[in-house]
Amino acid sequence: MAKFGYIFAFIFGFILFNSCTKQEELNTPQQTQHSLPKTPQLKKSYGAYLAGRVAHLRKNFNAAADYYMQALNEDPENKELLGRVYVILASKGRISEAAKYASLSLQKGDENNFTYIIMAVDEMKKGQFEQVNETISHLDGPVYKEFIIPLMSAWAYAGLNQPEKALKTIAVLNKEPSFRALYHFHAGMINDYFDRTDEARKHYETIVNDESMEMSFRSLQVITNFYIRNGEKNKAVKLTSHYTDEKLLADMLNKLAKNVRKAKPEKTTKIVNDPNIGMSEALFSIAATLRQGSSGIDLAHIFISLSIYANPKYDLAKLLLADILESREMYADANAIYDEINEESEAYYSAQVKKAGNLVIMQDYAAAELLLKSLALETNNNYQLLLDLGDVLRIRNKHDEAVNYYQEAIQNLPSVEEQHWVLFYALGISYDSLGDWDEAEKSFRKALELSQNHYLVLNFLGYSLIKHGKNTDEAFGMIVDAYNQIPNDGHITDSLGWAFYRLGKYDQAIEYLEKAAEIEPSNALISDHLGDAYWFGGRKNEAVFQWNHALILEDDSGELNKEDVRKKISSQELENRILPYSADIINKKIGEITKE
């Protein structure tokens, strides 16, 4: 695979919203997720503050900001609340409002550097380019001077029609090896903005030709756009064909390549035809860099919101914002961002696939099914999409349809490789649910081969063989091997206990089924299994208790027959057909069981 990715790692600490990281160089307002912050000393509107705090904890940032502003109207001197307001407004892209409160907070002695950044982006949007440089000149510290200020200031100089100052400002990035690709990208765009075609080409082709530099998708968009506009469409076509990716990005690359091939130079316009678009690129670059760090999500959230404010049509920025919202478990908010990306965008398909994934997480399976089916009609046999659709149909117990999509996914694999075990595993589950054990077993064994004995496959296949009364020795060995890989999984522990039960070894069955019930106390099937083991272990009162318990619990396995459980309780009769097995083989595997 050719070089591809985003660009660098640059980590520093900060605190925003509801995260728990230490407050360091960027000195942003502190709040935590697990405990309430120190309550601002509100003189009048405590109710509005509390309503805002509740909305904040529920991640309804728009409502939180509105309530906080209401509280501020009653208590305008509250500095802590003032700082909270501009941060949360910025996170929601309400930059003009955020800038107003940031300016007010600054006047009241706020020393947070972020006030200047929010104000500068708003000034840039209003065409106050000279004021932008004045505002960000107050930022202090190496992170700002060597990274953030150069990116923002360069585009302010572009707005002032001063290309030399813009290029001189951005040149500091070239001193840091990890920022060289970023330097050449922005220097290329600045030259291109000023129609300095030869200079722009030098910078762009440095990225293209230097294999040590990562090529971002945005760089690819901008550089191919440059080639097309300048009569070098063949270069653009060749460049897009150079990059491949097996994951979600593949569809964006394919759409870009298609658009490049059909592009007409005379109708192709510059991507960066306004200084604010350049500023948006700068803010996106900062956000993407911050996003790489485990503690960078808070600032990345604000910077990407600022980027979209500077360029509301920037779809890649919207993808990043949605990704950040997903990491905050704000799936509905993320989907609202995905819906802003139109069908003509190279990001559209990826956005819709991500949206479907979020619908699954939110358990809106019907909507996910409809969306995935519509996408399947629009695409050319995408393996991952077919797998996702099969999974949703399986969850909805539409196993006939699920099997069809899984089989279609297999047919569209260029080659069957280790990572595709999940597809065969899912196919096996659907066949088993349809009662076609022969096909299910074939699929599970293929999954087992590809996965190199993954515990999920070992457990499902072993338990299913025990359930069907087949290959007892092999099945028991599979379950033991799965248990040894992950001994604290309730479902696998249940399988081991149930296997002991089917062998007639009730004491050991009770031992592992009790452990499974401790791990998964709300699992109806485990309670039923434990009741059966208790019955044959001579603990009949406890057996009846467990069966009654199974009746009031929700069964997520689809295996429990509650009518059969009621019959056991009423008839006080139970039969266990003990499976035939080789004592030597079974005892050897018992000796291999991991002991805690």
Side-chain angles (χ1 to χ4, degrees):
M1 175 180 151
K3 58 176 184 172
F4 213 97
Y6 212 89
I7 306 174
F8 4 72
F10 193 88
I11 311 302
F12 42 84
F14 35 79
I15 301 176
L16 291 176
F17 311 125
N18 296 318
S19 65
C20 295
T21 52
K22 75 176 180 177
Q23 184 170 1
E24 291 178 353
E25 191 166 353
L26 288 185
N27 191 30
T28 50
Q30 182 170 356
Q31 299 169 31
T32 64
Q33 181 175 8
H34 304 295
S35 62
L36 289 173
K38 180 180 178 181
T39 302
Q41 297 301 307
L42 298 172
K43 297 177 181 178
K44 298 180 181 178
S45 188
Y46 190 65
Y49 166 75
L50 286 180
R53 186 58 184 152
V54 169
H56 199 163
L57 291 172
R58 291 178 176 175
K59 299 175 183 176
N60 186 345
F61 293 161
N62 267 327
D66 290 337
Y67 280 122
Y68 287 155
M69 287 190 291
Q70 182 181 334
L72 268 177
N73 288 336
E74 299 292 332
D75 189 10
E77 298 304 315
N78 192 298
K79 295 180 182 179
E80 184 179 346
L81 185 55
L82 186 57
R84 184 171 297 172
V85 165
Y86 69 72
V87 169
I88 201 169
L89 284 169
S91 77
K92 291 302 297 180
R94 296 165 63 175
I95 308 305
S96 291
E97 294 170 274
K100 182 183 77 172
Y101 284 101
S103 177
L104 185 60
S105 186
L106 189 63
Q107 293 170 27
K108 294 182 181 298
D110 191 346
E111 297 180 355
N112 177 16
N113 277 320
F114 219 78
T115 56
Y116 296 111
I117 293 175
I118 294 171
M119 290 164 57
V121 173
D122 190 50
E123 290 160 355
M124 186 80 182
K125 186 76 170 181
K126 294 172 179 175
Q128 300 167 359
F129 305 121
E130 190 167 351
Q131 184 59 43
V132 172
N133 280 325
E134 164 62 23
T135 299
I136 62 177
S137 69
H138 294 283
L139 297 171
D140 191 26
V143 170
Y144 295 101
K145 291 181 178 179
E146 298 171 16
F147 178 46
I148 293 175
I149 292 175
L151 281 167
M152 295 181 69
S153 181
W155 286 103
Y157 279 124
L160 290 167
N161 201 30
Q162 298 179 18
E164 296 304 330
K165 283 189 177 181
L167 292 166
K168 183 178 180 181
T169 300
I170 206 78
V172 67
L173 295 177
N174 199 31
K175 297 177 181 178
E176 170 56 47
S178 59
F179 289 164
R180 287 188 62 234
L182 184 63
Y183 160 71
H184 286 291
F185 181 49
H186 280 271
M189 286 189 292
I190 291 167
N191 278 296
D192 193 11
Y193 173 73
F194 286 106
D195 294 322
R196 298 163 62 151
T197 304
D198 291 341
E199 290 301 312
R201 182 180 287 103
K202 289 177 184 177
H203 289 289
Y204 288 152
E205 293 193 341
T206 298
I207 300 172
V208 171
N209 296 324
D210 189 338
E211 284 293 324
S212 68
M213 292 187 189
E214 295 282 359
M215 172 81 80
S216 72
F217 186 81
R218 187 55 164 177
S219 298
L220 195 59
Q221 285 181 312
V222 169
I223 293 171
T224 53
N225 171 272
F226 171 82
Y227 283 144
I228 292 167
R229 286 185 288 107
N230 287 283
E232 299 174 284
K233 183 176 174 179
N234 60 321
K235 281 189 177 182
V237 171
K238 183 178 180 181
L239 187 58
T240 56
S241 66
H242 185 59
Y243 295 99
T244 59
D245 192 285
E246 293 182 354
K247 300 179 182 178
L248 199 60
L249 194 59
D251 297 293
M252 292 171 61
L253 288 165
N254 291 337
K255 183 69 175 290
L256 175 61
K258 180 180 179 181
N259 288 343
V260 166
R261 287 193 298 271
K262 68 180 184 181
K264 296 181 179 180
E266 65 277 10
K267 293 185 178 181
T268 301
T269 59
K270 286 182 184 178
I271 290 177
V272 183
N273 57 7
D274 181 283
N276 270 288
I277 295 178
M279 177 64 84
S280 177
E281 296 292 342
L283 295 164
F284 177 85
S285 297
I286 296 166
T289 304
L290 293 170
R291 185 69 176 98
Q292 302 304 309
S294 59
S295 60
I297 183 173
D298 292 329
L299 280 178
H301 190 159
I302 292 188
F303 271 106
I304 204 62
S305 297
L306 291 167
S307 175
I308 294 169
Y309 176 70
N311 179 12
K313 296 181 179 180
Y314 196 174
D315 290 340
L316 294 185
K318 291 176 183 178
L319 285 183
L320 181 53
L321 175 58
D323 175 71
I324 290 169
L325 291 169
E326 288 166 357
S327 69
R328 295 188 182 282
E329 300 181 356
M330 298 169 66
Y331 303 109
D333 288 37
N335 281 356
I337 298 298
Y338 289 136
D339 284 340
E340 293 180 11
I341 299 174
N342 66 51
E343 294 185 28
E344 299 304 313
S345 170
E346 285 142 11
Y348 173 76
Y349 177 81
S350 297
Q352 293 301 301
V353 170
K354 293 281 284 180
K355 177 184 175 181
N358 290 339
L359 289 170
V360 170
I361 292 171
M362 294 187 290
Q363 298 185 359
D364 190 350
Y365 302 120
E369 178 186 339
L370 287 173
L371 177 55
L372 287 168
K373 282 183 174 179
S374 68
L375 292 172
L377 293 174
E378 298 172 12
T379 58
N380 185 22
N381 300 324
N382 180 289
Y383 149 74
Q384 186 62 53
L385 177 63
L386 295 169
L387 172 57
D388 291 344
L389 182 51
D391 286 343
V392 170
L393 291 164
R394 177 169 52 82
I395 291 170
R396 302 196 72 201
N397 292 317
K398 296 183 176 182
H399 294 287
D400 282 325
E401 281 191 85
V403 164
N404 291 335
Y405 282 107
Y406 288 141
Q407 289 177 332
E408 190 176 348
I410 291 170
Q411 293 168 5
N412 282 283
L413 290 174
S415 62
V416 178
E417 300 177 8
E418 289 182 6
Q419 69 267 26
H420 299 133
W421 70 267
V422 175
L423 173 53
F424 289 92
Y425 176 67
L427 178 59
I429 292 173
S430 283
Y431 273 131
D432 186 47
S433 297
L434 291 169
D436 190 344
W437 173 245
D438 290 339
E439 289 299 325
E441 184 176 0
K442 291 178 187 177
S443 297
F444 285 134
R445 290 192 181 279
K446 183 64 176 179
L448 192 64
E449 173 194 336
L450 293 172
S451 71
Q452 300 181 3
N453 296 327
H454 192 283
Y455 64 85
L456 285 176
V457 189
L458 284 168
N459 178 62
F460 204 107
L461 179 54
Y463 179 81
S464 297
L465 288 167
I466 291 289
K467 184 172 67 174
H468 289 282
K470 295 184 177 181
N471 301 7
T472 307
D473 298 337
E474 180 191 25
F476 186 83
M478 288 178 177
I479 294 171
V480 169
D481 291 344
Y483 179 83
N484 287 342
Q485 288 184 43
I486 182 166
N488 290 314
D489 181 277
H491 298 283
I492 294 175
T493 306
D494 171 66
S495 296
L496 182 56
W498 187 245
F500 274 121
Y501 171 82
R502 295 303 309 275
L503 297 178
K505 297 179 180 292
Y506 300 120
D507 289 343
Q508 288 154 301
I510 289 170
E511 175 187 353
Y512 287 101
L513 288 169
E514 284 181 336
K515 178 183 175 183
E518 289 177 5
I519 298 171
E520 297 279 350
S522 299
N523 188 293
L525 186 62
I526 293 175
S527 288
D528 182 50
H529 285 169
L530 180 55
D532 291 358
Y534 277 153
W535 184 268
F536 283 100
R539 298 162 63 174
K540 295 189 176 183
N541 288 337
E542 292 172 270
V544 173
F545 175 84
Q546 289 297 330
W547 290 333
N548 278 306
H549 192 50
L551 289 176
I552 64 175
L553 296 175
E554 184 176 350
D555 174 40
D556 62 357
S557 70
E559 186 178 341
L560 183 69
N561 186 322
K562 291 195 174 184
E563 184 58 36
D564 288 346
V565 177
R566 292 186 185 95
K567 288 180 181 178
K568 286 188 288 189
I569 296 170
S570 62
S571 68
Q572 299 284 295
E573 293 181 1
L574 181 63
E575 179 184 359
N576 178 26
R577 291 181 296 168
I578 295 174
L579 299 176
Y581 63 89
S582 166
D584 289 342
I585 294 173
I586 295 298
N587 288 334
K588 182 180 178 181
K589 291 305 294 186
I590 291 174
E592 295 177 7
I593 295 175
T594 297
K595 297 296 181 183
E596 297 179 350

